[in-house]
Amino acid sequence: MATVRYEEVAYRAEMEVKMKLRKLLALTLASAMVFSIVGCGGKADTASAPAADSKTEADDAEASEAADAGDIINYTFFGSMPQPEINDGNEIQEIIAEKVGVRVKETWLTGQTAAEAVGTILASGEYPDLIDAGDASVQMYEADALVAWDDYLDKYPNLKEMYTDEEWNMFRQDDGKIYWANVFVNTYGEPKATGHNDEAFWVQARVLEEAGYPKIETLDEYFDLLEGYYAKHPTLEDGTPVIPYTILCEDWRYFCIENAPQFLDGYPNDGSVIVDKSGAAPKIVDYNTTETAKMYFGKLNEEFNKGMIDPEFATQTYDEYIAKLSTGAVLGICDQNWDFNYTIQDVFKTDGLDLKGCNYVPLGLTAKKGMENRWHTYADTLNNSSGIAVTTSCEDPDRAFKFLNDILDQEIHDLRFWGVEGVDYLVDEDGLYYRTDEMRANWADEKYQAAHRCQYSYMPQWLGTSRDGINAMQPQEQYSEFVSGMAEPLVKVFEAYGAKGYPDLIGSVVEENGPWFPMYSYSNAMTTDTEGGVAWTKMGETKHEWLPKVVMSSNFESEWNNYMKAYEECNPKAFLDEMQTELDRRANM
């Protein structure tokens, strides 16, 4: 995904003062959260372990032997993103604990930015046993808060199998060691993707049906589609006003407004830049200043002044955004699928909105008709900037790595993502997993999830084909489940366009990305220790401030020029030059 730096950098005296006050407030507000993260820490149920700085190899061996003897170790995990928590005594979690000897209490981000939460954890000096610190992973590393993976990968083959040696090397930090692993978009065996988990312009299925399922290729056609539907249906059946288009701008999620120009120009998601490979050597291009960028923001400005864009878009929070989408009132958005759809899809089922065609369908728009698009990435994307890590507060890191290894065993992986056989899924005479309607409804129910489901969703996992060679590693990629669970309005969309999955609806070019892809795996880890990193932070702050103003302006040309002037003052050339140096390095690996 295209990203910004989560942390704010004090590059002017005024900003330094604001940052200090903000951190002080965050520390005060978050103290209770940190206590919950580290206070229940990863200790064996049987006895207190010695302090981390005094433990020996014999202590580690003794702890591992105790676990092997049947004692369950309790570990803590913090994820730097909002997620629902499961209940203590969760049924599948307890089954997994009995099988692997480890139970993990997961705590998620609430009421803070990721940088604030991780900063507070670091300030406390006491860490959860396991952590996914997101873009703050580098800060954890620089604070010597993480355990290197190097001594454990050869010992635990399930972990080693996640990446090739060359890919593992891309996770190495400047001391030459590996401290985390990204757990997403790893494919085992044959790919089975039916979904599009990435970014797109999305539209409700009912809008396409109303228009007779037209081919929508450009931004103009997209907004004509929304305008046509809105003219006929300005409210929902209950009188709720329809919102033709809304935009999320809050905090790091402002990628929903800022990064579309790279896709509209037909490039894949390198995130922070475009990589133009048309010449003799690949070249970094700034997508913020292209003709397409100006066209895109000019179109948003036009639609805003027509009343087609949510007047609250610039100030709405993520929760408010999700609440609007959950009503079915929003016809269109630009967002990453993972950022909204998993949260609202169960609401749609519960409230019957999927039967009314409120489900979102992705479209692969381009700046002009007939252009190739690359919204969908068919191959695995290696994001080495963050991932699951073991901290130095963990009293038995070997046992923690063993746990991460063990939950990749097929039996445990099935428990995490398919559930309990006979309860959450059945097996037909050919060995194919399937669910009944009742099972699907249970799996989607929030109370059932909290009491029964335990996916350990930010820990090592696979997509693709199960080791049995038949089933999908995760149900959303099992074609029979994909079709069986589909609402009728979506079935009509797929039939109308002759699509077998969401990638078919987008129609992206199928090609192998260069060895540099994605470049955001480098920019995500940039710090203000370099001139380019300072520029990157300033660029993010400037875009966050100016882009909503550009969209809402009554004089687009004037406001765009003001924005471009402010943008140039960020010294983007320093950032682009640093990215070009990294691109050259990767291209010649």
Side-chain angles (χ1 to χ4, degrees), residues 22 62 165 167 193 195 238 269 321 359 389 395 398 407 460 488-489:
R22 186 179 181 189
E62 182 179 349
D165 289 343
E167 289 170 331
D238 63 1
N269 189 16
Y321 169 78
N359 313 73
E395 295 178 356
D398 181 78
I407 61 174
E488 184 62 25

Side-chain angles (χ1 to χ4, degrees), residues 83 159 174 241 378 430 535 540:
Q83 291 283 310
L159 292 180
D174 55 16
Y378 289 90
D430 296 320

Side-chain angles (χ1 to χ4, degrees), residues 490-508:
L490 284 177
V491 173
K492 291 180 179 179
V493 169
F494 280 85
E495 289 177 347
Y497 293 105
K500 296 293 185 181
Y502 288 100
D504 294 340
L505 292 174
I506 296 171
S508 292

Side-chain angles (χ1 to χ4, degrees), residues 308-349:
M308 293 297 107
I309 294 180
D310 181 4
E312 300 174 342
F313 84 89
T315 57
Q316 68 183 340
T317 65
Y318 177 72
D319 288 343
E320 290 168 341
Y321 169 78
I322 290 298
K324 290 176 184 176
L325 267 57
S326 297
T327 66
V330 180
L331 304 182
I333 56 174
C334 181
D335 200 348
Q336 297 263 352
N337 181 70
W338 54 260
D339 193 40
F340 74 96
N341 217 6
Y342 297 117
T343 306
I344 67 172
Q345 61 187 3
D346 294 341
V347 176
F348 278 14
K349 288 184 174 70

Side-chain angles (χ1 to χ4, degrees), residues 108 200 237 245 251 394 418 423 433 493:
W108 304 93
E237 295 174 357
Y245 189 80
D251 196 40
C394 181
W418 281 97
V423 176
Y433 295 177
V493 169

Side-chain angles (χ1 to χ4, degrees), residues 103-120:
R103 181 189 299 110
V104 179
K105 173 64 176 178
E106 296 175 307
T107 305
W108 304 93
L109 184 70
T110 54
Q112 293 179 291
T113 67
E116 288 170 344
V118 173
T120 302

